[in-house]
Amino acid sequence: AFNWIGGAPPPPLVGVGGRILALCRIRHQQPLARCEVRICDITDRLLVRFYDAPMRGVCAGQVAALYVAGGEVCLGGGPILSPGLSYFDRGLSLPSYIHPAGLNDRSVNRRRERNNSK
């Protein structure tokens, strides 16, 4: 279950058709990604849809954290139950701006910079 820091979902999210625009992070040091968050009417699960870029390597069991106010306020976090279809599952190639080894991920770039400076 998703753990809301405030104890409950924010009011704009509650009710039929409720949604919020937020930022999401799945990995430590990963850049925050713009997303839309809804609560599914049927299952009561949280649904997150990303806007700017597809998320790479999302797996069930990872934890997603949601933020607002430009990333300054964390709303809470919870396990990913189903990541949805990947590009591979849909028979699509990765967009050119997403490197297959995650080189557009800040944590990978920082590790490489540290190793090159030694």
Side-chain angles (χ1 to χ4, degrees):
F2 196 86
N3 298 304
W4 296 101
I5 290 177
L13 194 55
V14 179
V16 177
R19 70 182 184 93
I20 60 171
L21 299 178
L23 298 169
C24 181
R25 176 175 286 140
I26 295 173
R27 289 177 196 79
H28 176 65
Q29 294 186 343
Q30 178 183 42
L32 290 168
R34 290 183 335 131
C35 64
E36 175 185 76
V37 181
R38 297 176 184 234
I39 295 178
C40 179
D41 299 332
I42 299 168
T43 63
D44 218 25
R45 289 183 179 171
L46 207 59
L47 303 174
V48 178
R49 183 178 67 116
F50 294 99
Y51 280 118
D52 299 326
M55 297 299 280
R56 211 184 140 271
V58 178
C59 299
Q62 286 179 301
V63 173
L66 294 177
Y67 298 84
V68 291
E72 296 294 320
V73 177
C74 181
L75 295 177
I80 296 169
L81 301 176
S82 174
L85 296 175
S86 69
Y87 271 73
F88 179 79
D89 294 333
R90 292 185 278 165
L92 301 172
S93 297
L94 283 175
S96 60
Y97 60 89
I98 297 181
H99 192 282
L103 298 179
N104 56 323
D105 186 334
R106 283 187 194 156
S107 62
V108 173
N109 289 334
R110 286 183 183 149
R111 196 171 331 142
R112 177 176 294 122
E113 289 168 7
R114 272 193 306 256
N115 292 337
N116 288 339
S117 66
K118 291 180 182 180

